Amino acid sequence: MDVPWHLASRVEDRDFALWLKTTKKPPRRRRPDAPAPGSVNPVTGKATPGENYSARTRWHARAVIRSFCEYHRETHGRPLINPFPQGGAADEGSPNGHHNPMQPFRQPSRRGTYQPKEPKPTPRIIPEQAFNDLFAGLKYNRDRALIAFYISTGARASELLGVPQGLVAPGDQTIGVVRKGNQVLQHLPASADAFVWLRLYQQELRDVVPKHPSEPLWWTLRRPFRPLEYDAARMVFTRANQLLGANWTLHDLRHSAAKRMVRDPNLTLADVQWVMGHAHITTTEIYIAPTPDEVVAHVLAHHERQRAEQATPPAPPAPGYRPEVLATLFGTSAAGGENR
């Protein structure tokens, strides 16, 4: 628009936000067998990214420009006012600092003007049968061990791939990961099956890869052997998806692990928060919401119980007291009712 960045105003902010809503992402090269943008996978029900910017992408694009202007405003004093407001009390200062008792209190806005609403994340859960089919499509013990750790620990993809050999404790049935956010080492409990597959995988690579507590735990299966990276692990999942015609991702395993733990009545929400490494328990609470399949199953079970109750005949009335029983209770004769 030929407007210098330090002279941009809220008008340019509005135009930029409206432009993001209508523009499409630059086209990129796609595989011939790739699904059409925005199409829904018939197996998983997940939609592929569309051509237009998603709400989250628009939100991040605006946040990047706001950070750029805020840096120059604090460092160089230009622009005087950030044209991309953050929204909320942090941007508006103290809205009730000079409150008039005759007027209602002002409520700070939750987001800036023209700022797109960030969508609420919804967990993508892999059903039990779909996970079993996916696991059966894996060919190597390394892949089985890796997926078993993902589904039992709920660790992020990068966290589990960065585990060294010295942080695996089969005796304690834990595996140590460095958390992505705070970089804190945390020993996560894992299933016994995961350690069985891991032992089979380590036996196959015996005397082939370096063995030391500081060496990586996961390696490629072809020479030259290299530490397994995220792209290679993602391709393992992609090949298994191709057999099923699905489009599950590695991060879906993390959501599925959290959902499994939330369903267990013996685990508290604080336990799940600790395992998942969430900073706020409100992030863990999103897994409490039932999936559409669960709601349908619960409602159908409700209708079945209602039908069964209506088909059951009512219980017969209780029989009345016999005269001899009344005589014993009240001390009267059964015939004339005289006192004994």
Side-chain angles (χ1 to χ4, degrees):
M1 300 176 63
D2 297 329
V3 176
W5 63 267
H6 62 279
L7 297 180
S9 64
R10 298 292 171 86
V11 176
E12 282 72 31
D13 174 28
R14 177 202 62 190
D15 296 341
F16 178 69
L18 296 177
W19 175 76
L20 282 177
K21 291 183 179 180
T22 58
T23 189
K24 295 183 178 181
K25 289 184 177 181
R28 59 183 179 87
R29 296 182 58 185
R30 303 177 62 89
R31 302 189 312 271
D33 58 341
S39 60
V40 179
N41 186 278
V43 177
T44 64
K46 294 171 51 179
T48 58
E51 295 181 348
N52 202 349
Y53 279 89
S54 63
R56 181 179 292 272
T57 306
R58 293 195 299 267
W59 187 89
H60 284 296
R62 194 173 181 276
V64 168
I65 298 183
R66 183 193 181 280
S67 301
F68 171 81
C69 294
E70 188 66 20
Y71 165 76
H72 284 276
R73 189 183 69 86
E74 295 179 354
T75 306
H76 307 291
R78 302 171 66 185
L80 298 178
I81 299 177
N82 196 325
F84 295 83
Q86 181 179 6
D91 189 68
E92 300 178 6
S94 180
N96 298 300
H98 302 279
H99 173 66
N100 185 351
M102 301 300 295
Q103 301 293 332
F105 284 92
R106 292 177 53 197
Q107 296 294 332
S109 59
R110 295 190 177 184
R111 62 180 186 271
T113 308
Y114 305 113
Q115 181 174 348
K117 183 178 180 181
E118 187 175 9
K120 184 178 180 180
T122 55
R124 301 177 295 271
I125 310 302
I126 304 179
E128 296 293 337
Q129 185 58 43
F131 174 77
N132 294 335
D133 297 338
L134 189 67
F135 194 84
L138 302 175
K139 297 182 179 180
Y140 305 103
N141 291 328
R142 181 207 60 185
D143 304 339
R144 299 185 182 102
L146 190 62
I147 300 305
F149 274 111
Y150 276 130
I151 198 64
S152 61
T153 63
R156 299 177 179 87
S158 59
E159 294 173 348
L160 195 58
L161 291 175
V163 174
Q165 299 175 12
L167 293 182
V168 180
D172 299 333
Q173 205 168 323
T174 60
I175 183 170
V177 300
V178 177
R179 284 303 185 182
K180 179 181 178 181
N182 52 18
Q183 299 298 311
V184 173
L185 175 63
Q186 186 173 353
H187 295 273
L188 300 179
S191 64
D193 293 342
F195 287 97
V196 172
W197 292 115
L198 177 62
R199 186 68 185 94
L200 294 174
Y201 157 63
Q202 289 178 328
Q203 184 65 24
E204 294 174 350
L205 295 185
R206 185 179 180 181
D207 301 330
V208 176
V209 298
K211 187 176 181 180
H212 191 270
S214 62
E215 292 291 341
L217 178 64
W218 310 103
W219 295 80
T220 59
L221 301 179
R222 297 180 181 179
R223 298 180 184 273
F225 296 104
R226 301 181 304 275
L228 188 66
E229 297 181 353
Y230 175 78
D231 290 336
R234 181 177 55 83
M235 288 305 299
V236 170
F237 217 62
T238 301
R239 288 191 293 269
N241 275 327
Q242 291 175 350
L243 297 177
L244 304 176
N247 61 346
W248 303 114
T249 63
L250 287 176
H251 200 70
D252 293 342
L253 294 174
R254 175 174 167 84
H255 290 300
S256 302
K259 189 65 175 181
R260 287 185 176 186
M261 288 185 283
V262 166
R263 289 172 179 169
D264 191 344
N266 296 321
L267 288 177
T268 65
L269 200 62
D271 296 335
V272 182
Q273 177 192 8
W274 183 87
V275 173
M276 300 299 294
H278 293 153
H280 305 284
I281 200 168
T282 53
T283 307
T284 316
E285 288 177 349
I286 65 175
Y287 298 99
I288 299 178
T291 62
D293 294 339
E294 291 175 337
V295 174
V296 171
H298 294 166
V299 175
L300 290 179
H302 163 73
H303 293 325
E304 183 63 24
R305 289 192 299 268
Q306 294 287 345
R307 188 192 64 80
E309 291 177 0
Q310 294 176 359
T312 303
Y321 284 105
R322 299 189 302 274
E324 57 271 18
V325 177
L326 293 175
T328 303
L329 291 175
F330 300 105
T332 58
S333 62
E338 298 177 355
N339 294 333
R340 293 183 179 180

